[in-house]
Amino acid sequence: MKELLTSTLMYRLTKHQLQSRKMRRGHHKGGRRSARSGNSLEFSDFRNYQPWDDLRLIDWNVYARTSKHYIKRYLDEQELVVSLYIDCSNSMTTLPKKWMFAKGLAAALGYMSLSSDDRVGVFPIGSDSHPFMYKKGKAFSNRLIFYLAGVKPNEAPIHFSETIQKMIQPNSSVSILISDLLEPLKKIETALKKLQAYKQELYVIQVLTEEEMIPDYQGDLELIDSETKAFLNVSMNSSIKKQYQSRLQEHTEYIRKFCHMRGIGFIQCNTASSLDEVIFKELSSKGWVE
């Protein structure tokens, strides 16, 4: 558990919440305040009594002062249903730092949500591990972290964008995708459109290592595709590096613009950053965490 989250980070996570602009209601009550009226104990305002209202809801103290009948309204309490999808393809799991960072990020977001009394499910896409089916409440937070620490990748090649379409949870309030998104753009588009069709808040987190963003290789190399295991001989020089970085930037920028156009949250994370920086600076600045 300590490998994924420090005690200091876990304490900070309990002070924050995952945010959703849509606030799609869960099936059960939670710890979030809604603009809707309900029957919690937190007072909202008064409204005029209507003939169909329960007489027991009339505030007789106000009536004694104004000779008018008013009903007290209270804030509704609701939960978010949070679905965390983790890319377990070979391109994510070959580099240990990248794999641990992705699992740590999922653990942090799940821990924060459970601490906020939200309902959390984790779906390791392409892994032999069973999903962590929806649990609610801080009592399950340690179990979630232990679960994520034990998630193992499947060595068989998979396409994250294709496989996730078979695992979509239609009743989610918020879905978060954690992936390097190093797949054909059309496949990524199709997956995001299908997820968004269920009218849930959608956040996409692209995880890349410093090595992938700014490769420092030199000389004649034989590269192996982590997904297909195909070999490629290349002479790594400054020109090749610039071409690679330009193509990666174009790839990411296309996804960023696509997400922006469709109202999908998108952020790119470098594994050289700490989880604290990502969550409390980058995600917070986007309004995902408060």
Side-chain angles (χ1 to χ4, degrees), residues 12-254:
R12 291 189 68 186
L13 290 169
T14 62
K15 308 298 181 182
H16 294 78
Q17 282 187 329
L18 191 65
Q19 298 299 303
S20 170
R21 294 165 298 177
K22 298 178 181 179
M23 281 300 293
R24 182 175 176 180
R25 295 170 62 88
H27 298 295
H28 304 278
K29 286 193 172 295
R32 294 175 180 269
R33 298 294 182 252
S34 167
R36 303 186 184 195
S37 59
N39 57 4
S40 74
L41 297 179
E42 185 159 332
F43 173 71
S44 173
D45 58 11
F46 291 99
R47 68 167 174 80
N48 291 323
Y49 172 78
Q50 303 293 333
W52 54 82
D53 288 328
D54 190 335
L55 289 172
R56 292 173 296 180
L57 299 178
I58 294 175
D59 191 309
W60 297 106
N61 290 327
V62 174
Y63 174 77
R65 295 196 303 271
T66 65
S67 297
K68 294 181 179 179
H69 296 95
Y70 287 96
I71 297 291
K72 271 188 175 180
R73 296 200 306 177
Y74 297 88
L75 289 174
D76 192 15
E77 295 177 329
Q78 54 184 302
E79 66 178 9
L80 286 184
V81 180
V82 180
S83 298
L84 293 162
Y85 299 95
I86 307 175
D87 183 352
C88 300
S89 63
N90 290 331
S91 67
M92 284 289 291
T93 59
T94 299
L95 298 174
K97 183 176 182 180
K98 184 178 180 180
W99 179 229
M100 290 299 292
F101 185 91
K103 293 203 293 184
L105 187 55
L109 293 170
Y111 187 93
M112 178 171 58
S113 298
L114 288 171
S115 298
S116 301
D117 211 26
D118 291 327
R119 195 170 298 274
V120 177
V122 181
F123 303 89
I125 307 302
S127 170
D128 290 331
S129 302
H130 293 291
F132 180 89
M133 294 310 295
Y134 295 101
K135 303 295 181 185
K136 175 184 171 70
K138 193 174 180 180
F140 290 99
S141 56
N142 285 344
R143 187 184 300 183
L144 170 71
I145 298 173
F146 280 119
Y147 164 81
L148 281 164
V151 170
K152 304 295 183 185
N154 186 343
E155 293 185 2
I158 64 114
H159 284 289
F160 172 72
S161 300
E162 292 179 349
T163 309
I164 193 175
Q165 296 180 49
K166 305 171 186 176
M167 300 287 290
I168 293 176
Q169 304 300 304
N171 295 320
S172 294
S173 310
V174 178
S175 286
I176 303 175
L177 277 64
I178 301 174
S179 170
D180 56 17
L181 301 175
L182 297 179
E183 293 187 350
L185 292 170
K186 293 301 179 184
K187 292 181 182 293
I188 296 171
E189 281 187 20
T190 300
L192 295 181
K193 285 179 180 178
K194 193 164 184 179
L195 275 158
Q196 202 176 29
Y198 291 99
K199 303 188 184 304
Q200 50 193 256
E201 191 84 61
L202 186 55
Y203 295 141
V204 177
I205 303 176
Q206 184 186 37
V207 176
L208 295 174
T209 65
E210 188 79 11
E211 179 183 0
E212 290 171 317
M213 298 173 76
I214 309 174
D216 59 357
Y217 307 124
Q218 294 289 343
D220 295 332
L221 301 171
E222 185 178 64
L223 304 180
I224 304 174
D225 188 311
S226 60
E227 300 291 351
T228 65
K229 305 305 179 184
F231 291 87
L232 177 65
N233 293 312
V234 63
S235 294
M236 190 67 76
N237 53 43
S238 58
S239 176
I240 294 295
K241 289 181 183 179
K242 286 180 182 178
Q243 289 180 38
Y244 165 80
Q245 288 178 279
S246 177
R247 291 183 63 185
L248 177 61
Q249 186 175 354
E250 289 175 4
H251 181 88
T252 299
E253 194 58 29
Y254 184 97

